[in-house]
Amino acid sequence: MSDSARLGRSGAVPEAAISPAAIPAAAGALAQEAGEPTAPGPGRAFGPRLMAPLLLGSLLNPINSTMIATALVAIGQDFHVGAADTAWLVSAMYLASAVGQPSMGRLADRIGPRRVFAAGALTVCAAGVLGTLAPTFTLLIVSRIVLGIGTAAAYPAAMAVLRAESRRTGCPTPRQVLGRLSLAALGSAAVGPTLGGLLAATAGWRAVSAVNIPLALLALLGALLWLPADRKDARPAHDGSASASASASLDPLGIALFAAALTCAMVFLLHLEDPQWLLLAPAGVLAGALAWWQLRHPAPFIDLRMLARNGALVRTYLRHGLTYLVIYCVLYGFSQWLEQVHGASSFQAGLIMLPMSLAAAVCSLMGARTKGIRAPLTVAAVCLALGSGVFLLLQGASPLVALLCAGALFGIPQGLSSTGNQAAVYAQAPADGVGAAAGLQRTAQYLGAITASSLIGLLYGQRASDSGLHEIAVIGVVLGLLLLTLTLADRSLRPGATGTGTTTGTGTGG
């Protein structure tokens, strides 16, 4: 008996009256009647086996971005370099990640997220070995670049896996699943300073690199055992013409131009105390060449036309980048201030920042349980401004309770902004490009982090100070108020607006 006959016999309404949401349920009922296997429900489709490697892989980048914060002083002492030089350890990884995230996202969309995820885990393992054995400061920077490239693969690949699983099963990705992915990244970033301080105090700063080896191997094993195989049409071609087509699709020239322009801008930012104005000329030329090439390439590295049409997604990137500019200014600036002004050890500094980590984790869970996007982002912006204001009151002799409260207050916007902006990207991204869109979100985050490390080098110089921390706090207050204005003025974030209000769709952008 035909499907339409079955529906008619059961007294179903005409096809034109069937809502799209009822189609998966009707299809499941028909398959069950015919004795065919039905797709698993959301609970089984996004179960522990699928999520375990995705969560472990996704924490590698954020934990490495913050774990080194409480080890910078020890590294500087060993290699006889100051705060302005150790800032390169932060910026080098962010530069590599800023280029690597959208690149890995494009690869995940084209050759399959499982392959990209596994290759990234192997690269992280190699970076861990190099960083552990690095005899010079230059090689340590190289290890951070390799680490940035390797860790860049997991998050966009994870988002692509979730979108593919949603399509395969017909079940929308639950908001709680996205929340867990955000919590893994945010929680690891938040606990990073504490873990880094513990490792540096007990086993030396090299342990901060060595810990990546077992973590990466576990992520690789989980991916090989539990992640679904990539689609057959996503397999890399072996003939010459198809390989050339895949290379063109990846747009290596666009990636190179983006990396070169970003490097020039980063070098300029890292020497704000003695600006290298001549670097602005090549940075501008490279940016212009990048825009020219992206507008003419059939499959550009950064789809400028899509971004021009998708204003909501662009505004999400802007919010995310500005938010993390403030977060990383406080994260790195506060940890160095605790050690060099307040007199705390690396381990003590990590413990003092622990309430910030706990508050961020709790608020990330709360953000994952909310239905809207605008409300948590509004609260996050308010808390950024208030938290930065509290840092204006801190002095080297401030009591411990004041330091703990300041950190806890600043953890709130970390959790809420992370889950809110991630949900916005998932809802606003093109259906066939969620990996690349998620990568660009992280690129915006890393641009904020690079700018933050540059400001810290400018405001602190060779050593942290009360005045430098207060200047960082003023920047946080101003940007917090700007973010509040941007969030309240963004109509796309209102309930019921196109592309938002739910994060379980297949994307509306593009």
Side-chain angles (χ1 to χ4, degrees):
M1 184 180 295
S2 67
D3 293 349
S4 59
R6 288 192 184 100
L7 289 173
R9 186 179 65 182
S10 62
V13 296
E15 180 180 352
I18 299 176
S19 67
I23 293 176
L30 292 175
Q32 188 174 21
E33 181 180 340
E36 299 174 358
T38 58
R44 295 181 60 190
F46 302 95
R49 289 192 174 186
L50 176 73
M51 294 305 299
L54 298 184
L55 295 176
L56 180 56
S58 295
L59 66 79
L60 290 175
N61 187 281
I63 199 171
N64 276 286
S65 69
T66 60
M67 188 165 51
I68 200 172
T70 45
L72 290 175
V73 173
I75 293 172
Q77 291 172 349
D78 270 12
F79 289 109
H80 307 290
V81 295
D85 294 311
T86 55
W88 274 100
L89 295 172
V90 178
S91 297
M93 179 179 172
Y94 282 133
L95 174 63
S97 298
V99 178
Q101 288 274 356
S103 303
M104 296 300 110
R106 286 176 62 85
L107 278 175
D109 291 334
R110 284 159 176 76
I111 70 171
R114 185 172 182 261
R115 294 185 183 87
V116 173
F117 189 98
L122 285 173
T123 305
V124 172
C125 188
V129 173
L130 180 59
T132 302
L133 302 177
T136 66
F137 186 67
T138 300
L139 279 179
L140 187 60
I141 292 177
V142 171
S143 76
R144 296 285 293 178
I145 294 174
V146 177
L147 186 63
I149 295 172
T151 57
Y155 177 71
M159 293 286 277
V161 166
L162 294 179
R163 178 60 62 83
E165 190 70 4
S166 178
R167 284 179 169 179
R168 184 184 71 83
T169 62
C171 299
T173 304
R175 176 74 173 258
Q176 291 82 357
V177 169
L178 292 174
R180 292 186 198 114
L181 197 64
S182 178
L183 177 61
L186 180 65
S188 59
V191 80
T194 303
L195 177 59
L198 176 62
L199 291 173
T202 57
W205 62 262
R206 292 184 184 274
V208 173
S209 293
V211 74
N212 286 293
I213 301 172
L215 291 178
L217 291 177
L218 284 174
L220 175 62
L221 180 62
L224 296 178
L225 290 177
W226 296 326
L227 290 189
D230 295 322
R231 304 188 321 271
K232 291 182 178 180
D233 60 352
R235 293 184 182 277
H238 297 287
D239 60 283
S241 60
S243 297
S245 176
S247 176
S249 178
L250 185 59
D251 188 14
L253 179 57
I255 294 174
L257 288 171
F258 179 72
L262 194 59
T263 300
C264 289
M266 187 190 73
V267 173
F268 174 80
L269 289 172
L270 285 177
H271 294 87
L272 290 178
E273 73 282 357
D274 183 22
Q276 307 295 312
W277 299 109
L278 292 178
L279 285 172
L280 294 181
V285 171
L286 289 167
L290 173 65
W292 177 85
W293 177 250
Q294 298 304 275
L295 291 173
R296 283 156 180 78
H297 197 279
F301 170 61
I302 300 176
D303 194 342
L304 297 180
R305 288 190 174 89
M306 182 277 290
L307 293 177
R309 295 192 301 268
N310 198 336
L313 185 60
V314 173
R315 291 191 294 273
T316 295
Y317 291 153
L318 177 61
R319 283 194 312 272
H320 198 65
L322 290 177
T323 298
Y324 272 89
L325 168 59
V326 181
I327 288 174
Y328 280 113
C329 269
V330 171
L331 188 64
Y332 292 121
F334 188 39
S335 62
Q336 292 188 54
W337 178 87
L338 286 172
E339 294 184 53
Q340 296 183 334
V341 177
H342 193 70
S345 66
S346 297
F347 180 56
Q348 290 170 338
L351 289 178
I352 292 172
M353 297 180 72
L354 188 57
M356 183 187 299
S357 309
L358 296 176
V362 170
C363 290
S364 178
L365 289 173
M366 293 174 59
R369 294 181 179 276
T370 60
K371 294 183 179 180
I373 297 176
R374 190 183 191 187
L377 290 179
T378 300
V379 175
V382 171
C383 290
L384 275 180
L386 291 177
S388 299
V390 172
F391 275 87
L392 273 172
L393 306 177
L394 297 182
Q395 301 288 338
S398 295
L400 178 62
V401 64
L403 305 180
L404 295 174
C405 291
L409 179 60
F410 213 86
I412 297 173
Q414 290 188 51
L416 295 179
S417 62
S418 176
T419 53
N421 285 320
Q422 181 193 49
V425 168
Y426 192 83
Q428 296 161 351
D432 59 348
V434 69
L440 283 174
Q441 178 198 4
R442 286 292 179 89
T443 296
Q445 178 176 327
Y446 300 140
L447 290 174
I450 290 170
T451 306
S453 64
S454 305
L455 288 173
I456 291 171
L458 173 65
L459 300 176
Y460 277 174
Q462 295 299 309
R463 188 174 179 83
S465 63
D466 284 341
S467 61
L469 181 67
H470 295 162
E471 290 171 340
I472 290 174
V474 170
I475 293 173
V477 171
V478 173
L479 291 182
L481 294 176
L482 175 61
L483 281 165
L484 178 61
T485 303
L486 291 174
T487 302
L488 293 177
D490 192 345
R491 295 184 177 182
S492 69
L493 296 179
R494 295 177 180 176
T498 302
T500 58
T502 178
T503 61
T504 58
T506 58
T508 59

